[in-house]
Amino acid sequence: YRLLALGERSGEGYLNIMRQLREHGAVGSYHDVVDHRKVDHPVQVIWGGSDPILSLRTRGMEMLAATGLDSMSVVEGRHYLQEEAAPQIAEAVRRLADGG
């Protein structure tokens, strides 16, 4: 993801992916793979409490609704949680894998 966003082509790859999603109507189709009532894999939402791009109040709550879950994990971080909150994400994944 870093190469797509920060590579020598100034994010062209990332922008192309987003454009393709929009043009082919894929935006919003994630519901079929995140609704825990419709899939046979574990689902959880981990959100950055300070994300300036995908805010918790709007996008985070939309994702929570899409999953059908009662709650989500909110961690300290902004938009790149895998870099900013790796230990917290690992712990949330471990808890889910352990069944609780």
Side-chain angles (χ1 to χ4, degrees), residues 11-50:
E12 181 181 325
Y14 175 78
L15 294 174
N16 186 43
I17 290 169
M18 294 299 106
R19 190 176 311 106
Q20 293 292 322
L21 286 172
R22 183 170 291 121
E23 288 173 6
H24 296 290
V27 175
S29 64
Y30 61 84
H31 288 85
D32 293 334
V33 296
V34 299
D35 188 333
H36 84 281
R37 299 163 295 196
K38 298 179 181 177
V39 298
D40 62 357
H41 56 266
V43 174
Q44 70 175 323
V45 179
I46 305 171
W47 213 266
S50 301

Side-chain angles (χ1 to χ4, degrees), residues 55-100:
S55 77
L56 174 62
R57 178 177 283 164
T58 57
R59 299 299 187 191
M61 297 311 289
E62 288 173 8
M63 182 57 70
L64 181 62
T67 66
L69 296 171
D70 294 328
S71 63
M72 72 173 95
S73 297
V74 178
V75 298
E76 286 296 319
R78 295 173 53 84
H79 192 66
Y80 295 102
L81 293 184
Q82 63 273 34
E83 293 178 0
E84 301 167 353
Q88 295 88 345
I89 293 170
E91 177 59 21
V93 171
R94 185 201 58 77
R95 282 193 312 267
L96 181 66
D98 288 345

Side-chain angles (χ1 to χ4, degrees), residues 1-19:
Y1 79 94
R2 289 179 61 86
L3 182 58
L4 285 173
L6 304 174
E8 61 187 47
R9 296 179 79 179
S10 302
E12 181 181 325
Y14 175 78
L15 294 174
N16 186 43
I17 290 169
M18 294 299 106
R19 190 176 311 106

